[in-house]
Amino acid sequence: MHWFTVVFLIALALATAVRLWLSRRHILHIAANRETVPAEFSGRIALGAHQKAADYTTVKTKLGTVETLVAAALLLAFTLGGGLQLLSETWGRAFETGGHAHGIALIVSVALISSIVDLPFSLYRTFVIEARFGFNRMNLVLFLADLAKFAAIGALLGVPFVFFVLWLMAKMGGIWWLYVWLTWVAFNLLVVTIYPTLIAPLFNRFSPLEDADLRARIESLLAKCGFRARGLFVMDSSKRSSHGNAYFTGFGAAKRIVLFDTLISRLAPPEIEAVLAHELGHFSRHHVWKRMALVFGMSLAFLWLLGWLIGQDWFYAALGVRSPSTAMALVLFFMVAPAFTFLLQPLASLYSRLHEFEADAYAAQHANARDLAGALVKLYQDNAATLTPDPMHSAFYDSHPPAMQRIARLQTYQA
């Protein structure tokens, strides 16, 4: 057995074991706190709602443990099980091995197989778990229509992008990874730019905000914060789910403010203003650009590493591949990389949570911290977000601070 095979198996086993351990901790911690509403939320969240959130989170976490095991098994099947080699040989009968058509066929096949494996989990999550807890409003026809749209968009944008990447890898010599990185950055910025006006409307209807009082309140907030948006829109999220949210999208003059219709129906105008002030805090503190810079920086490092690995025969052989190619290198690298980087996830989560605290502080300066706290309590209850996550599980996975920490910080701004 090759030394890198051993390293890969150890990394995969460790990442999988930690995921399962975190899930078990999370389930046990939630169960231990299920019968009592935390004192910080006493009188604001009923015991029944607290228990519903506990049960909802537990069921989702249990499904996640199955997904973790299936993902590990699929990765082993693709690599050491010979799945990628089999796909390469199969497509080699139709296309020249190592050619662009062969590479695209290989990558699309892997994506399709992975999607098929994920499909039962998505169906179960939507039509069993979400339905059981009263969140799902989607029927099977809409689910399949969304799936078809995602596939069409993926093909329309993804296939030309993959072709261009493979072409760059073949033509740009030893520094192909730099050209691919620049293309990756440009592609992501393009998608972010066209998403609000070309992609999002394929899935939801966006209507101008008609509530004159709420619009005036939001426009006053925007003026106070020096923020310009192209429009205020309400999204018909209720046709899929009863979960509520709001977000900003787009760049420059194309920035849009989007409110879920479920959010408007649940929160009072001052609470909506406070939620939007929080989102404005992300823009004011340049969190979006900072996160994109971090992602782009990491992708540059990964592509540089791939630029070295692509010429190492042991990289392919140790992972069950006998037919090296640029496409195979891409697939192998981005398949196995998460096994080696998973233990760094708490750093990314911590970085995100720091941004959330900064955005909360900004909201407290430009709106009412008490209104934001009230809105968060309602959202926690309406979305059945557990108030008692396991601290270790939260440190790995939660991009937002736990409810008690966030509310406690907001209370200090009220003083």
Side-chain angles (χ1 to χ4, degrees), residues 62-92:
K62 288 180 178 179
L63 179 64
T65 62
V66 180
E67 289 182 282
T68 295
L69 293 171
V70 170
L74 182 62
L75 178 56
L76 288 173
F78 270 133
T79 55
L80 303 184
L84 289 176
Q85 180 62 35
L86 178 61
L87 286 173
S88 178
E89 293 173 354
T90 300
W91 287 115

Side-chain angles (χ1 to χ4, degrees), residues 183-229:
T183 302
W184 167 248
V185 171
F187 178 77
N188 276 271
L189 293 177
L190 172 65
V191 171
V192 170
T193 301
I194 67 175
Y195 177 82
T197 55
L198 297 181
I199 298 178
L202 296 175
F203 297 92
N204 289 97
R205 186 177 67 255
F206 294 83
S207 305
L209 178 62
E210 296 180 353
D211 187 323
D213 292 337
L214 180 57
R215 173 179 285 275
R217 178 183 287 272
I218 293 175
E219 289 176 345
S220 174
L221 172 67
L222 296 179
K224 183 167 57 176
C225 296
F227 183 89
R228 296 181 62 185

Side-chain angles (χ1 to χ4, degrees), residues 158-181:
V159 171
F161 173 72
V162 169
F163 172 80
F164 190 55
V165 166
L166 294 177
W167 182 85
L168 288 173
M169 294 175 74
K171 299 295 185 180
M172 294 297 114
I175 59 169
W176 63 262
W177 50 271
L178 180 58
Y179 291 96
V180 169
W181 178 74

